[in-house]
Amino acid sequence: MAAALCRGPVAAVEAHWESLRLKWQWCHAVHQINAPGLPYPGIVPLLEAAAAQPRLRRLCPFTSHFALFFSSSTSYPWTVQAGSIEPLRNGRFRVRRRNPVAVIGEVDTPEEAVSLVLELLPTGSEPAITSSHDKCV
């Protein structure tokens, strides 16, 4: 991740997308081994649906408690854009607005959830930028 940050915001954003995808695929595989048959939130298909959208793909993704957020900064402190999507254990997806924080809907598919978040994304939003405190050696 440090090397990607040194190459600039585009490389950092791509590294975040790839890192999240691999992390959650691994977590899902471990869950299937440790708790076969128990539901697992649909974070992997959600990441795939979000990554397929160019307006979201240029923002830096991060997760917290399974919820997916989109930042215009490539490192903490995050600058969250639009809202968040939380995959639920029942297979549905809850979408929240950022400011003011409110649930705006629950939908059946990750694609529907991504569509709702895209509606919350400000028009003309800028691509992610590397935070000013990121240091390259």
Side-chain angles (χ1 to χ4, degrees), residues 29-77:
V30 169
H31 175 81
Q32 288 177 315
I33 293 167
N34 292 334
L38 289 178
Y40 189 81
I43 189 76
V44 174
L46 174 57
L47 281 165
E48 292 168 355
Q53 293 300 320
R55 288 182 66 211
L56 294 178
R57 185 67 186 223
R58 65 190 201 161
L59 295 171
C60 191
F62 70 97
T63 55
S64 177
H65 300 88
F66 283 96
L68 177 61
F69 297 84
F70 309 94
S71 174
S72 60
S73 174
T74 58
S75 62
Y76 186 83

